[in-house]
Amino acid sequence: MEIQESADTTYRLFDFNRIDPVTQNKRDLQVQQGIDAITLTQGQQQLNQKQELIEQAVVKTLVDQPPFTLNHWSVRGKSRLTCRQPFTLLVAVAGEIDLNFNGQRLTLTAGTTLLLTPENDYYYLSGHGEFFLAWPHS
């Protein structure tokens, strides 16, 4: 998952644990720079950004205007999320979070990508980690 600016600048949010062939190390991530890249400066139209606490998760709305909504979740304990749209895309970027629904448990680690559907009333979260959620406007 990458967020790009029109200046051909790419910020790497997750790299699927790829190894740089020159250094033999994982490539650096630029999560904060990616978030900063979609934050408008003064004088530009402001996006409808907000931050809220949902139980033990800080949820920051980064974009909320057509054609989609994009949230950043930072979970530090237990929380829950709902999926009211036809689908919601979840991309884990850090830490480890257990996701429980319908008697099933999945562990979210960096790189885990899921398509959530509104079949479940709630998806229950526990652990410490971060992920992005995106869904289309209806």
Side-chain angles (χ1 to χ4, degrees), residues 40-46:
L40 298 176
T41 59
Q42 287 185 354
Q44 295 178 318
Q45 178 185 3
Q46 291 296 312

Coordinates of all heavy atoms in Angstrom, one line a residue, residues 40-46:
L40 N -3.7 18.5 4.2 CA -3.5 19.8 3.5 C -3.0 20.9 4.3 O -3.2 20.9 5.5 CB -4.9 20.2 2.9 CG -5.5 19.2 1.9 CD1 -6.9 19.7 1.5 CD2 -4.7 19.0 0.7
T41 N -2.2 21.8 3.7 CA -1.7 22.9 4.4 C -2.6 24.0 4.4 O -3.6 24.0 3.7 CB -0.3 23.4 3.8 OG1 -0.6 23.7 2.4 CG2 0.7 22.2 3.9
Q42 N -2.4 25.1 5.2 CA -3.2 26.2 5.3 C -3.4 26.9 3.9 O -2.4 26.9 3.1 CB -2.7 27.3 6.2 CG -2.8 26.9 7.7 CD -2.4 28.0 8.6 OE1 -1.9 29.0 8.2 NE2 -2.6 27.7 9.9
G43 N -4.5 27.4 3.6 CA -4.8 28.0 2.3 C -5.4 27.0 1.3 O -5.9 27.5 0.3
Q44 N -5.3 25.8 1.6 CA -5.9 24.8 0.7 C -7.2 24.3 1.3 O -7.5 24.5 2.5 CB -5.0 23.6 0.5 CG -3.7 23.9 -0.2 CD -2.9 22.6 -0.4 OE1 -2.8 21.9 0.6 NE2 -2.3 22.4 -1.5
Q45 N -8.1 23.8 0.5 CA -9.4 23.3 1.0 C -9.1 22.2 2.1 O -8.3 21.3 1.9 CB -10.2 22.6 -0.1 CG -11.5 22.0 0.3 CD -12.2 21.4 -0.8 OE1 -11.7 21.3 -1.9 NE2 -13.4 20.8 -0.5
Q46 N -9.7 22.3 3.2 CA -9.5 21.4 4.3 C -10.3 20.1 4.1 O -11.5 20.2 3.8 CB -9.8 22.0 5.6 CG -8.8 23.1 6.0 CD -7.4 22.6 6.3 OE1 -7.2 21.6 6.9 NE2 -6.5 23.2 5.7

